[in-house]
Amino acid sequence: MSAADPLTSDPLAVAPALAFFTVATADGSLDAAEIDQFRQQMKACGECGALFAGALERLSSDAATLDAATAAAGEAVLGGEADAAWRSVRAALSGEDAEERERFVADVVAFARQIAEAAGGLYDVGPQVSEAEDAAIGRVAAALGARA
């Protein structure tokens, strides 16, 4: 992945970071538990598909790549350019077969939901996913042409 422009050089690898920033900042704060969850998910994606696993591997291949991709994703989300970034991801997915595309989208949405669930409610009481985070998950899904 090119450190100069990760959003265009490897948008699929930036997708997890985009999902993270979209959801984690939806309620106006970036929680330490969400950051920890992001780190954990980058190490082990569980039952994710090969395309998403490869994206995570490329994203976390080295510190410079991770820094460039997360900075680009953060700037896109916080700068109001998330829609354009998600269009790049969707365009990159267009070259994949339908099954891989669907699996990747499902993996990104699941990744986003796990980020949202990490912080929990007040003192772990109440809804674990805020309305703002739930809406953000819906935006991620819609940007990729799916439902949350």
Side-chain angles (χ1 to χ4, degrees):
M1 178 185 321
S2 165
D5 192 359
L7 288 172
T8 57
S9 64
D10 193 352
L12 296 185
V14 179
L18 280 170
F20 166 72
F21 279 106
T22 299
V23 172
T25 62
D27 57 7
S29 66
L30 189 60
D31 190 282
E34 293 165 329
I35 295 168
D36 287 344
Q37 181 67 25
F38 178 63
R39 288 181 182 141
Q40 289 174 17
Q41 286 179 246
M42 298 244 325
K43 293 177 186 171
C45 66
E47 308 246 343
C48 64
L51 192 59
F52 190 71
L56 285 176
E57 186 177 314
R58 291 189 309 279
L59 176 62
S60 61
S61 64
D62 60 63
T65 299
L66 180 59
D67 288 349
T70 56
E75 289 171 15
V77 170
L78 299 174
E81 298 295 323
D83 289 342
W86 285 117
R87 280 192 299 275
S88 293
V89 173
R90 200 166 175 179
L93 283 172
S94 68
E96 302 295 331
D97 69 44
E99 188 175 315
E100 281 295 320
R101 223 176 14 251
E102 288 174 21
R103 180 62 192 257
F104 185 88
V105 171
D107 289 339
V108 171
V109 172
F111 188 92
R113 182 154 300 282
Q114 289 175 329
I115 296 296
E117 290 173 351
L122 183 62
Y123 304 112
D124 292 325
V125 177
Q128 214 172 347
V129 176
S130 72
E131 286 182 28
E133 290 169 329
D134 197 48
I137 294 165
R139 285 193 306 276
V140 168
L144 294 173
R147 292 185 178 159

